[in-house]
Amino acid sequence: MTLGNTGHLLVIISFVTALVATYAYLRATLLTTNTLQNNTWKHFARSAFYVHAAAIIGVCTTLYLIIYGHHFEYHYAWSHSSRALPWYYMISCFWEGQEGSFMLWMFWQAVLGVILIRTNKVWETPMMTVYALVQAFLTSMILGVVIPGLDFKIGSTPFLTMREAMPELPVWAMNPNFIPKDGNGLNPLLQNYWMVIHPPTLFLGFALTLVPFAYLMAGLWQKQLTEWLRPALPWMLLTGVILGVGILMGGYWAYETLSFNSYWSWDPVENAVYVPWLVGIAALHTMIIAKKNATALKTSVILVTAQFILIL
């Protein structure tokens, strides 16, 4: 139970520190007249976010150790991996499940958050308030915490044991310490080299959409209606490139593996990702001319917000 308990503890730590970072950055943003207190809250917020990022890396490492170590007493490892898989497909097992996908998304956002803290001091406090709040929302998706008395569950944890995930099976009555000898294995359609590199690229694109959105929210909050465009524009360009490459990878995987004989007849998920990419490319164009055109500025606000919401 050590690995699972460690992973679940790290998830809780990452969630709490994301909320703490959000509150601390909020206080630092509101305390514009008191430089000493502002700096104190800012340093505290940075520390909280760094702990959050470290906890996210710890959560991802723990889950991969469970998968790679063939710990089939855990439902996630049993559902998505097997002993027959080579190491590179074991990596794909990590993000085959919904919880692993959320963790990949959170990992990239944690990395990008650290980069933003260290590279943009001017916009740090208002922008990171929004950024850390979204990160807390994502982290809640893998909390797996049940609120006592309300029978309400927040998120789904990947660290459930087989007995916790499938208590109805009669095997527990016969052998309380039963552990499967092998897992179900990776979906054969996902046993492809594109599935090793396509999801990380795509989820990096997902994570990048938060950066222009956070700059936009910070600009509206601070009433700097055009100033947010300059720091946000390079990130929007990078978002378009990374998300576009990820979509092309997914299209080629569908063409090669699923034998659709067409790049555009993919599954609904691949098609759905294409929509926010188009919105983002439109936003990129309007952002370029927004400083000189009020209509383009309003359109940029709508499109940047729409892209982020569509990704969610």
Side-chain angles (χ1 to χ4, degrees):
M1 297 294 290
T2 303
L3 278 172
N5 289 338
T6 302
H8 192 59
L9 176 62
L10 288 170
V11 170
I12 294 172
I13 291 172
S14 65
F15 177 68
V16 172
T17 49
L19 289 178
V20 170
T22 302
Y23 178 75
Y25 271 123
L26 176 63
R27 291 298 303 269
T29 306
L30 296 177
L31 289 168
T32 53
T33 56
N34 192 322
T35 307
L36 179 60
Q37 280 191 326
N38 176 285
N39 287 334
T40 301
W41 279 108
K42 186 189 295 184
H43 289 306
F44 180 60
R46 286 176 186 168
S47 300
F49 196 88
Y50 289 152
V51 173
H52 165 78
I56 289 294
I57 293 171
V59 171
C60 295
T61 303
T62 304
L63 183 59
Y64 186 71
L65 288 174
I66 287 173
I67 295 169
Y68 192 75
H70 305 304
H71 293 280
F72 297 122
E73 62 268 32
Y74 291 99
H75 186 259
Y76 198 91
W78 174 81
S79 298
H80 304 294
S81 69
S82 69
R83 296 183 183 276
L85 291 172
W87 68 268
Y88 43 90
Y89 289 155
M90 299 289 284
I91 297 174
S92 299
C93 296
F94 181 94
W95 45 71
E96 186 189 20
Q98 188 183 58
E99 297 89 349
S101 297
F102 274 119
M103 288 165 63
L104 181 59
W105 193 351
M106 289 183 289
F107 167 78
W108 282 127
Q109 285 196 174
V111 171
L112 291 171
V114 172
I115 294 172
L116 288 166
I117 289 172
R118 300 187 68 83
T119 57
N120 199 332
K121 306 297 183 185
V122 176
W123 287 86
E124 181 185 350
T125 53
M127 184 266 296
M128 286 303 297
T129 303
V130 178
Y131 197 99
L133 181 61
V134 174
Q135 189 71 336
F137 167 74
L138 276 182
T139 310
S140 71
M141 296 297 168
I142 61 167
L143 263 180
V145 173
V146 178
I147 299 177
L150 298 178
D151 196 26
F152 180 72
K153 186 179 180 182
I154 303 175
S156 175
T157 176
F159 300 110
L160 288 177
T161 62
M162 290 288 292
R163 187 165 186 170
E164 291 170 330
M166 307 169 74
E168 71 282 355
L169 291 183
V171 67
W172 311 123
M174 296 181 288
N175 183 3
N177 298 317
F178 172 76
I179 296 175
K181 294 187 182 298
D182 205 353
N184 283 343
L186 186 66
N187 186 326
L189 294 176
L190 302 181
Q191 294 184 32
N192 181 282
Y193 58 94
W194 287 111
M195 283 300 102
V196 179
I197 57 177
H198 159 59
T201 306
L202 200 63
F203 275 91
L204 175 57
F206 289 0
L208 282 165
T209 61
L210 173 57
V211 183
F213 176 76
Y215 276 119
L216 165 62
M217 291 297 105
L220 295 177
W221 183 7
Q222 299 296 300
K223 294 182 174 55
Q224 298 185 35
L225 301 183
T226 58
E227 288 82 355
W228 66 273
L229 290 163
R230 183 170 183 176
L233 193 56
W235 289 101
M236 182 58 82
L237 178 60
L238 184 61
T239 301
V241 172
I242 299 296
L243 198 57
V245 169
I247 291 169
L248 287 174
M249 286 180 178
Y252 193 77
W253 162 74
Y255 181 83
E256 181 181 272
T257 305
L258 303 182
S259 302
F260 285 162
N261 297 318
S262 168
Y263 288 102
W264 301 106
S265 300
W266 331 325
D267 63 278
V269 175
E270 294 290 348
N271 282 331
V273 175
Y274 183 58
V275 176
W277 179 79
L278 285 176
V279 173
I281 296 301
L284 178 64
H285 285 75
T286 57
M287 288 169 69
I288 292 172
I289 60 172
K291 284 188 176 181
K292 299 180 180 179
N293 188 304
T295 303
L297 178 61
K298 294 175 184 177
T299 308
S300 297
V301 172
I302 295 170
L303 291 176
V304 171
T305 305
Q307 184 194 33
F308 176 69
I309 292 173
L310 284 168
I311 286 292
L312 283 182

